[in-house]
């Protein structure tokens, strides 16, 4: 999120955002496979890539990179049955339960960041599969959003991007 506040105003910040995306991409074992890396890492990478393309550089290479990270997110973290993103990948060690929490604290949840980043990616690319993932994630957490919207403030931002008119 820090990148989103400064990239459009300072060329050096654009460079820093690119470096951040590069770090997320490199830190994944067997890149571009993000297995072993938290969903939040992959979501942040997609968000940084989409943001840098959208607001600062207009370099189509970044949107391609964001689309690749989206594909990995869907392969590794997506819950086919209920929707939403797990915090651990499919090839992570076997756990008793795989979590996916929508609640934001000081750091937004992986699902909230997924909704925000993928809503923007869907708008930029026009990909209906991306929009469908956003809608299914929002549907999964609909009760939480209705009962306690301030608990998922980042997800509400993503909802606004997805549902509202945007100029992309």
């Amino acid at each position: 999120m820090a990148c989103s506040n400064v990239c459009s105003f300072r060329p050096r910040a654009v460079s820093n955002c690119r470096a951040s995306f590069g770090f997320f991409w490199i830190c994944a074992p067997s890149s571009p496979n993000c297995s072993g890396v938290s969903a939040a890492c992959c979501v942040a990478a997609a968000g940084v890539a989409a943001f840098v393309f959208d607001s600062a550089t207009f370099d189509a290479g970044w949107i391609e990179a964001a689309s690749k990270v989206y594909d990995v997110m869907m392969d590794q973290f997506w819950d086919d049955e209920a929707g939403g993103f797990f915090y651990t990948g499919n090839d992570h060690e076997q756990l008793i339960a795989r979590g996916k929490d929508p609640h934001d604290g000081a750091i937004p949840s992986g699902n909230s960041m997924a909704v925000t980043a993928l809503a923007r990616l869907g708008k930029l690319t026009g990909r209906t599969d991306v929009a469908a993932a956003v809608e299914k994630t929002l549907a999964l957490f609909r009760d939480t959003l209705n009962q306690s919207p301030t608990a998922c403030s980042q997800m509400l931002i993503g909802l606004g991007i997805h549902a509202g008119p945007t100029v992309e």
Side-chain angles (χ1 to χ4, degrees):
M1 298 310 286
C3 288
S4 66
N5 293 326
V6 295
C7 280
S8 60
F9 303 108
R10 299 186 186 116
R12 183 172 177 191
V14 172
S15 174
N16 291 341
C17 289
R18 287 180 175 165
S20 295
F21 178 76
F23 168 76
F24 287 123
W25 196 251
I26 291 167
C27 76
S30 306
S31 291
N33 181 353
C34 287
S35 61
V37 179
S38 71
C41 181
C42 290
V43 172
V48 170
F51 177 78
V52 170
F53 168 84
D54 179 34
S55 299
T57 68
F58 297 98
D59 178 352
W62 289 104
I63 202 68
E64 290 174 28
S67 293
K68 288 179 184 177
V69 174
Y70 163 77
D71 292 336
V72 172
M73 287 171 57
M74 293 303 290
D75 179 56
Q76 286 293 313
F77 303 103
W78 180 249
D79 180 355
D80 288 324
E81 293 178 23
F85 294 90
F86 290 113
Y87 286 114
T88 57
N90 288 330
D91 59 359
H92 189 272
E93 68 180 283
Q94 190 67 33
L95 301 172
I96 294 171
R98 291 173 69 196
K100 52 180 176 177
D101 186 8
H103 296 97
D104 298 331
I107 299 173
S109 73
N111 279 287
S112 290
M113 287 304 299
V115 167
T116 304
L118 298 182
R120 175 166 276 178
L121 182 64
K123 294 279 185 172
L124 290 171
T125 63
R127 287 178 58 177
T128 57
D129 59 327
V130 176
V134 170
E135 289 170 7
K136 194 165 183 180
T137 303
L138 288 167
L140 175 65
F141 299 118
R142 177 179 302 139
D143 289 342
T144 304
L145 289 167
N146 285 328
Q147 294 170 4
S148 184
T150 57
C152 308
S153 56
Q154 184 67 44
M155 195 174 292
L156 289 175
I157 293 170
L159 172 63
I161 294 168
H162 177 70
T166 59
V167 180
E168 301 289 352

